[in-house]
Amino acid sequence: MNIGIIGASGYAGGELIRLLQNHPEFNIEYLAAHSQAGEKVIFAHPHLTDYCDQVFSEISVEKLNELDLLFFSLPHGTSASLIKQVNPDKFIVDIGADFRLANPLSWKKYYGTEYAGKWVYGLVDLPGQIDKIKHTKQVANPGCYATAIELSAAPLVSNNLINQTDITVVAASGTTGAGRAVKSNLLAAESTNSLSSYKFGGVHQHTPEIEETLTSINNQNTKISFTPILAPMPRGILSTLSATLNKKIDISALRELILKFYENSSDVKLLPEGMMPQTNSVLGSNHVLLQVAIDEHTNRVLVSAAIDNLTKGAAGQAIQNANLISGFPINLGLNQIGLGR
C-alpha cells in the first residue's frame, strides 16, 4: 500500500517515518509538510539518514487522493478541513484530536474550533475495540496522556471498583509532547533540571476524551481532575491515577482482575510487585507498563503507568490502527522491545 504522512516534519511524523521504514506492506510515497515544504527531511529529523536527499512536499489534495492510506499528524483542529476534501473511502488515521470527541460542546470548550464529528476511537487495548477498528476505514488515534490514563483506569471502571466521579491524575510528559513549535518554556535553559505544572486547574484538552472513553465502558458518569507536568526529558509519560474504592478488594485479587482485563493485549504489561514503571523502559516501544497499589489509609487505589508519548502515544499506536483497518496483523512492522537506557 502506498501511504502518505501529512505533517511529516513534526515529532510524531518523524517517529512514523522511523517505524514505517521496516513495514513490509506500507510504502512511504509522500511526506508532506506545511511550513517546511521544500526543506530536506534530514534537517528536521537528523536520525533519518536514509532520507538525506528527500525533501518535504507541499500538501496537495490531488496527491492525497492518489494514495491508499493517509496518516494525518497535524496540530489539533487543522486536519478536518483537509480530510473533507479527501475521498471518503480513503483509509485514514488521524493522530490529532479532530475526530476523538462525541460531544460538540466539549470540543468547543477545549479546542475552540468547528466540530468535525466522531470516528472510531483507536485505543486497541480495550476489550472489543479491535473488532470495531477492523470494520472501519477512518480511525481517531488517542491522545498520549489519554492513552496512559485510560489504560490505567479501564479495568477499574469495567469492574465498578471505583468512584468514577472522583478520579485524580498527575502525569509528567517529555517536551516532545508539546509539539515542535518554538516556545520559551521548552528551551533547554528553561526546562533542564526543572519540573513545572501547566494547563493547571482541569483545562487540559485530553480531559473530555478521557471522561468520554471511561464513561463508554460502563455508562457511568466520569469526572477526572488531571494535572499535567512538563518533565526535563525529550520523550515519555509517567502518570499516577488515584481513585476511591467502591468496595473492599485485596491486592492479589486486584492484580488478577487487571491481568484478566488485558489478557488479549500485546502492549499492556502489569509489572511484578515491588517494581515501578520507568519511562526509559518503554522508549521506542508500544508497551504500557503498569503498577497498582491499594492505599488502605485512604481507601484509594493507585495506578502508575509509563508509555512513550511518541510511540504508543502517537506513531506506534497509529501504525497498529493502520494495520487493523488495512486487514493486517496489529503489530506488523513494529518492534515491541523498548530501547532501554
Side-chain angles (χ1 to χ4, degrees), residues 99-290:
F99 299 96
R100 292 177 191 161
L101 298 185
N103 188 332
L105 296 179
S106 293
W107 176 266
K108 186 67 176 178
K109 176 180 178 180
Y110 285 89
Y111 293 95
T113 60
E114 182 182 354
Y115 179 68
K118 176 76 164 67
W119 285 356
V120 170
Y121 191 65
L123 191 58
V124 300
D125 305 285
L126 290 182
Q129 202 66 16
I130 285 178
D131 286 338
K132 295 177 183 178
I133 297 166
K134 283 181 176 179
H135 291 92
T136 190
K137 290 187 175 181
Q138 289 92 31
V139 177
N141 219 53
C144 53
Y145 275 126
T147 296
I149 295 166
E150 289 162 9
L151 294 177
S152 296
L156 311 177
V157 167
S158 179
N159 288 275
N160 293 311
L161 278 178
I162 59 172
N163 177 357
Q164 285 173 236
T165 63
D166 182 28
I167 299 175
T168 301
V169 179
V170 176
S173 174
T175 54
T176 55
R180 195 149 208 164
V182 178
K183 302 173 185 176
S184 61
N185 67 311
L186 301 180
L187 297 173
E190 303 294 333
S191 61
T192 302
N193 297 325
S194 180
L195 288 168
S196 62
S197 297
Y198 65 101
K199 295 192 175 177
F200 197 61
V203 297
H204 194 279
Q205 67 272 14
H206 288 179
T207 299
E209 176 184 347
I210 297 164
E211 291 180 345
E212 282 191 5
T213 302
L214 297 181
T215 295
S216 71
I217 292 174
N218 64 354
N219 294 316
Q220 298 293 318
N221 185 42
T222 303
K223 292 290 183 182
I224 178 172
S225 175
F226 170 39
T227 302
I229 294 173
L230 181 66
M233 58 187 187
R235 56 199 284 176
I237 285 176
L238 184 70
S239 69
T240 301
L241 177 147
S242 169
T244 303
L245 285 165
N246 284 335
K247 52 189 174 183
K248 280 285 186 181
I249 186 170
D250 63 36
I251 191 63
S252 296
L254 180 57
R255 290 179 62 84
E256 284 299 318
L257 179 149
I258 294 171
L259 290 169
K260 178 68 175 176
F261 189 83
Y262 289 120
E263 63 182 350
N264 295 318
S265 169
S266 62
D267 295 343
V268 182
K269 312 291 182 182
L270 179 62
L271 293 174
E273 290 189 67
M275 186 177 182
M276 296 303 297
Q278 295 178 298
T279 55
N280 62 9
S281 298
V282 294
L283 293 180
S285 86
N286 269 345
H287 283 164
V288 181
L289 302 184
L290 300 179

Side-chain angles (χ1 to χ4, degrees), residues 17-84:
I17 300 170
R18 181 182 76 84
L19 295 172
L20 286 169
Q21 286 186 90
N22 296 319
H23 200 288
E25 298 290 345
F26 295 157
N27 173 55
I28 300 176
E29 179 73 17
Y30 180 59
L31 296 176
H34 178 57
S35 61
Q36 296 196 52
E39 297 285 346
K40 287 190 173 182
V41 172
I42 198 169
F43 289 169
H45 308 300
H47 59 301
L48 299 179
T49 53
D50 288 350
Y51 291 81
C52 285
D53 298 320
Q54 188 164 340
V55 300
F56 294 114
S57 300
E58 295 274 0
I59 298 175
S60 162
V61 175
E62 181 180 2
K63 180 63 178 178
L64 298 183
N65 280 311
E66 294 175 0
L67 299 168
D68 302 311
L69 169 68
L70 303 172
F71 292 93
F72 281 82
S73 185
L74 297 171
H76 304 316
T78 58
S79 61
S81 59
L82 269 174
I83 289 171
K84 285 179 182 177

